[in-house]
């Protein structure tokens, strides 16, 4: 995971998996988050807990430029301030009603969320593009062994069977999320091949993990 002394960046979703006006659950080492995209296209991240009664905000909905809680409809801006309380439509919500938010950067088709205050931007993938993500019931060591490569300084694993693809892993609670990346000039057939290789890596890694338990 790309990091510096002040913080780190976690890849939390493919940009394509976060359409306009949607919210999804995601995870960073600091905990669960609600990841959402406004109607105008801005990606934002907040704690996955509504300050009112604790409902998960990832179960909520997006309307315009605000994220609303499914329980009583309190709505929050990308900066975390409460902007509307439906039961009191004439009330301007006090500034003290806030949800914690995280910095979000989107680049090369991946949404990154900051843990802490990283001084550097998220890494660029250069000539690589993401094609899909996969969840593996295996740790990063088992994935490295299954792929035949180690995590490098950019956080990427080279796959021994396929020199033009990489895996970008991020550890989660009890599993690992990987993003499958290929060189950007690869055609559809190559992308399908890379996807199948990633699935084979998953099977091998999960078998290793199971055997080691
Ligand atoms: S719990 Fe979220 S608005 Fe009530």
């Amino acid at each position: 995971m790309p990091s510096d002394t002040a913080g780190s960046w976690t890849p939390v979703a493919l940009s394509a998996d976060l359409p306009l006006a949607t919210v999804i659950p995601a995870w960073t080492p600091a905990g669960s988050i609600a990841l959402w995209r406004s109607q105008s296209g801005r990606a934002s991240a907040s704690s996955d807990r509504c300050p009112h009664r604790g409902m998960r905000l990832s179960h909520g909905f997006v309307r315009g430029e605000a994220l609303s809680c499914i329980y009583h409809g309190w709505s929050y801006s990308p900066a975390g301030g409460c902007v509307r309380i439906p039961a009191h439509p004439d009330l301007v919500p006090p500034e003290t009603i806030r949800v914690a938010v995280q910095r979000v950067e989107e680049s090369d088709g991946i949404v990154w969320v900051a843990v802490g205050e990283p001084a550097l931007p998220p890494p660029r993938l250069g000539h690589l593009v993401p094609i899909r993500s996969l969840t593996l019931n295996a740790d990063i060591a088992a994935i490295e062994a299954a792929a035949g490569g180690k995590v490098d300084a950019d956080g990427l694993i080279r796959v021994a069977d396929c020199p033009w693809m990489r895996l970008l892993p991020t550890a989660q609670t009890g599993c690992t999320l990987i993003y499958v990346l290929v060189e950007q000039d690869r055609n559809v057939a190559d992308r399908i091949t890379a996807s199948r290789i990633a699935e084979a890596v998953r099977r091998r890694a999960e078998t290793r993990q199971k055997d080691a338990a």
Side-chain angles (χ1 to χ4, degrees):
M1 197 169 306
S3 64
D4 53 47
T5 53
S8 62
W9 290 99
T10 300
V12 292
L14 296 178
S15 294
D17 289 341
L18 189 64
L20 292 179
T22 56
V23 57
I24 60 175
W27 187 91
T28 77
S32 299
I33 59 170
L35 182 69
W36 58 286
R37 192 185 297 285
S38 73
Q39 188 64 49
S40 70
R42 175 176 177 171
S44 301
S46 75
S47 158
D48 199 9
R49 191 171 189 283
C50 179
H52 183 214
R53 297 270 176 85
M55 173 60 77
R56 292 185 66 174
L57 286 171
S58 60
H59 292 174
F61 57 94
V62 176
R63 198 166 279 161
E65 302 304 299
L67 172 63
S68 297
C69 178
I70 195 71
Y71 201 175
H72 307 97
W74 290 24
S75 299
Y76 303 93
S77 73
C82 183
V83 292
R84 184 168 181 268
I85 297 177
H88 304 281
D90 297 328
L91 176 77
V92 176
E95 288 184 8
T96 50
I97 303 178
R98 305 188 61 78
V99 62
V101 295
Q102 287 82 29
R103 278 169 63 198
V104 176
E105 296 271 348
E106 221 170 343
S107 62
D108 302 319
I110 291 183
V111 184
W112 300 82
V113 169
V115 175
E117 290 293 333
L120 299 174
R124 300 306 304 264
L125 300 177
H127 62 299
L128 298 167
V129 292
I131 58 169
R132 65 176 295 192
S133 59
L134 281 172
T135 298
L136 285 69
N137 293 315
D139 60 23
I140 290 178
I143 295 168
E144 288 178 324
K150 292 278 185 191
V151 176
D152 67 16
D154 295 323
L156 302 173
I157 299 175
R158 184 183 287 268
V159 180
D161 297 343
C162 189
W164 41 266
M165 73 178 280
R166 301 284 187 282
L167 303 176
L168 172 63
T170 179
Q172 307 211 312
T173 307
C175 63
T176 304
L177 180 63
I178 61 168
Y179 300 88
V180 182
L181 313 170
V182 298
E183 292 172 352
Q184 61 189 5
D185 56 357
R186 290 289 154 175
N187 60 26
V188 173
D190 286 344
R191 291 171 188 230
I192 292 170
T193 298
S195 181
R196 289 183 178 150
I197 289 172
E199 287 168 5
V201 169
R202 172 167 63 181
R203 285 192 293 276
R204 291 199 296 270
E206 290 183 343
T207 299
R208 278 175 175 273
Q209 191 78 48
K210 219 170 165 182
D211 290 348

